[in-house]
Amino acid sequence: MRETDRIRLLALDLDGTVLDGDRGLSPRTAAAVRAFAASGRELVVTTGRSRLSALPWVRALGGAAALVAHN
């Protein structure tokens, strides 16, 4: 078993982590996050954005088990 296969939950921040400096989502990052979520493991998106502002990015990442957002 590879070490990365043992990861069961991934929590990602949007701005400055998943999204690049231009607030864009690179195809490579999107594919990697979608593959992680598609493998049956849990994805949690965290952000200082509002829920409504974060939802398009959550959808672009293929959904999430949880969203931790401002307010």
Side-chain angles (χ1 to χ4, degrees), residues 40-66:
R41 296 177 282 178
E42 303 293 332
L43 174 65
V44 176
V45 174
T46 64
T47 184
R49 293 170 176 246
S50 71
R51 183 180 75 79
L52 290 176
S53 174
L55 281 177
W57 297 113
V58 170
R59 290 184 187 113
L61 292 169

Side-chain angles (χ1 to χ4, degrees), residues 10-61:
L10 179 64
L12 296 174
D13 176 56
L14 289 178
D15 294 306
T17 305
V18 174
L19 303 180
D20 62 25
D22 295 326
R23 294 188 179 171
L25 179 61
S26 78
R28 182 177 177 192
T29 299
V33 173
R34 285 189 204 113
F36 178 87
S39 71
R41 296 177 282 178
E42 303 293 332
L43 174 65
V44 176
V45 174
T46 64
T47 184
R49 293 170 176 246
S50 71
R51 183 180 75 79
L52 290 176
S53 174
L55 281 177
W57 297 113
V58 170
R59 290 184 187 113
L61 292 169

